[in-house]
Amino acid sequence: MSGGQVKFPLDDLLRRDRFPHLWCQGCGLGIILSAFCRAVQEADIDLDHLVVVSGIGCAGRLSGYLNCDSFHATHGRAIPLASGAKIANPDLKVVVISGDGDLFAIGGNHFVHAARRNLEMLVICSNNFNYGMTGGQLGPTTPFQALTKTTPFGNWEEPLNLVQLASAAGATYVARWTVTYTQRLTNSIKKGLQREGFAFIEVVSPCPAIYGEMNEQGSAWQMWEELEAVSRIRDGIPPAEASLDIHERIICGDFIDRERAGYTLRLRQNRDVARQKALASYG
Amino acid sequence: MDEVQRRLAHIHIRSSECKGCRYCVEICPKRVYEMTTVYNELGYRVPQASHEEECIVCRRCETACPDLAIYVKRMGVRFNRRNLSVVDASYQR
Ligand SMILES: Cc1ncc(C[n+]2csc(CCOP(=O)(O)OP(=O)(O)O)c2C)c(N)n1
Ligand code: SF4
Ligand code: SF4
Ligand SMILES: [Mg+2]
């Protein structure tokens, strides 16, 4: 019964000396970490060729628990750092795992342009609807009328739909899951890891300690139950219909799955063409 | 001997890393877990797998544990001339 000396299946993928991790009771980030490790194992990704980059925030701490090359970038700059790694060494498998605030507030523009360029990377966003680490401020995905530290009388802004943004910007794989779909999430991450193009997965993740507390959603388990009750899988529906209403209906599934030449592939092709043209022009 | 035959899993819990979220207790379709009154060094009340013999190795608890503190190890049943014994089966998904 005790797990003291027994080796667990994910141990090789983790920096075990850093456990227990710093996330709060029932926080969805640990479930994302666990699903990611299982996906890496199942997709048979070589740890020596895997790079995981995170920004700043509770989600930003995720890369530090992985036993592979990982970077804790400055706030909002996970995608630029990941882009640099991929462009410098296209053989790498590059993954960004970060929070809604890091990726879509301060880092929003980087996301749009990496998707437009179809940079070959997988971006996983833990969407907990607020800035967890700094005490629960409003962010770009905070639901209308939700209570946060900076909107104590209710949020009057409309949230961003991340699936729609990623689809419109040009991502080649777009999916959304809640952490309650542990197996589907693992399969989806595996799919994203195997893709040579910009893949995006939004993971709706409970933040019981801050967001749940402010919005009186009860215990971690009560948040989980609510997520389960409102989530529905609608694979393949147009992104425009992939709505997210935290208390009414969260549409999950694979929404976009398309082929498009990746950025580093085009970069190499273009470099050869440019070289030839330059040589020709010099005679 | 019936008891031995029915047992499919060994459940390992890293209780020192558990934060007492109760997900395993609530989520298990076979009600294998139960909360104890024991507090770990982190100050959280931890569960135990009181009905391990009921486990069907669906791995719902393992994949849902936010603290990566559960490992459901599948067991194999081996027959030999003298008795029936439970042995570790190689790890499989
Ligand atoms: C340049 C800069 N601005 C602001 C901050 C403060 N800050 C730290 S984390 C964070 C928001 C994190 O939110 P999110 O990405 O949603 O992560 P979560 O903690 O919710 O997982 C902010 C604004 C910072 N560290 N650096
Ligand atoms: S503050 Fe929220 S997001 Fe951060 S570790 Fe705690 S529960 Fe998780
Ligand atoms: S593997 Fe399934 S049946 Fe076994 S303890 Fe976990 S949730 Fe229960
Ligand atoms: Mg957040």
Side-chain angles (χ1 to χ4, degrees), chain B residues 1 4 14 18-19 28 32 46 50 57 61-62 64 67-69 73 76 84-86 89 91:
Chain B
M1 197 175 267
V4 173
R14 281 187 172 140
C18 172
K19 299 203 182 99
C28 173
V32 164
V46 297
S50 312
V57 202
C61 55
E62 185 178 316
D67 290 280
L68 291 81
K73 188 168 189 176
L84 175 73
S85 61
V86 177
Y91 177 75

Side-chain angles (χ1 to χ4, degrees), chain A residues 1-3 6-9 11 14 16 19-21 23 25-27 30-31 34 38 180 182 220-221 224 228, chain B residues 11-14 17 19-21 23 26-27 42 44 48-49 60 62-64 66-71 91 93:
Chain A
M1 264 278 294
S2 99
V6 180
K7 188 171 171 183
F8 280 26
D11 281 357
L14 298 166
R16 285 288 320 152
F19 282 73
H21 59 55
W23 298 313
Q25 181 187 65
C27 175
I31 303 171
S34 157
R38 268 177 284 119
T180 64
T182 55
W221 173 247
W224 177 290
E228 253 179 358
Chain B
I11 298 173
H12 299 282
I13 306 175
R14 281 187 172 140
E17 296 182 8
K19 299 203 182 99
C21 69
Y23 286 176
E26 303 286 352
I27 217 170
L42 301 173
Y44 296 104
Q48 70 182 18
R60 190 68 172 133
E62 185 178 316
T63 59
D67 290 280
L68 291 81
I70 297 177
Y71 170 26
Y91 177 75
R93 284 271 159 223

Side-chain angles (χ1 to χ4, degrees), chain A residues 25 206-224 226 247, chain B residues 23:
Chain A
Q25 181 187 65
C207 166
I210 308 274
Y211 186 85
E213 165 83 19
M214 284 186 298
N215 289 279
E216 293 177 5
Q217 287 185 276
S219 66
W221 173 247
Q222 282 170 306
M223 284 188 89
W224 177 290
E226 189 178 3
H247 300 300
Chain B
Y23 286 176

Side-chain angles (χ1 to χ4, degrees), chain A residues 222-276:
Chain A
Q222 282 170 306
M223 284 188 89
W224 177 290
E225 271 189 314
E226 189 178 3
L227 278 183
E228 253 179 358
V230 302
S231 304
R232 294 289 181 279
I233 300 179
R234 296 277 184 275
D235 281 322
I237 62 158
E241 293 169 29
S243 55
L244 196 173
D245 183 330
I246 183 173
H247 300 300
E248 295 291 327
R249 183 67 78 231
I250 302 177
I251 304 293
C252 296
D254 280 359
F255 305 112
I256 297 281
D257 199 340
R258 60 190 168 201
E259 293 292 327
R260 193 154 74 84
Y263 182 82
T264 63
L265 179 72
R266 287 209 171 138
L267 184 71
R268 271 170 292 167
Q269 287 167 348
N270 210 57
R271 186 183 54 195
D272 296 340
V273 172
R275 224 174 245 156
Q276 279 161 14

Side-chain angles (χ1 to χ4, degrees), chain A residues 42 51 80 116 133 147 193 199 255 269 283:
Chain A
E42 286 175 26
V51 177
R116 173 179 66 80
M133 178 148 277
L147 303 176
L193 283 168
F255 305 112
Q269 287 167 348

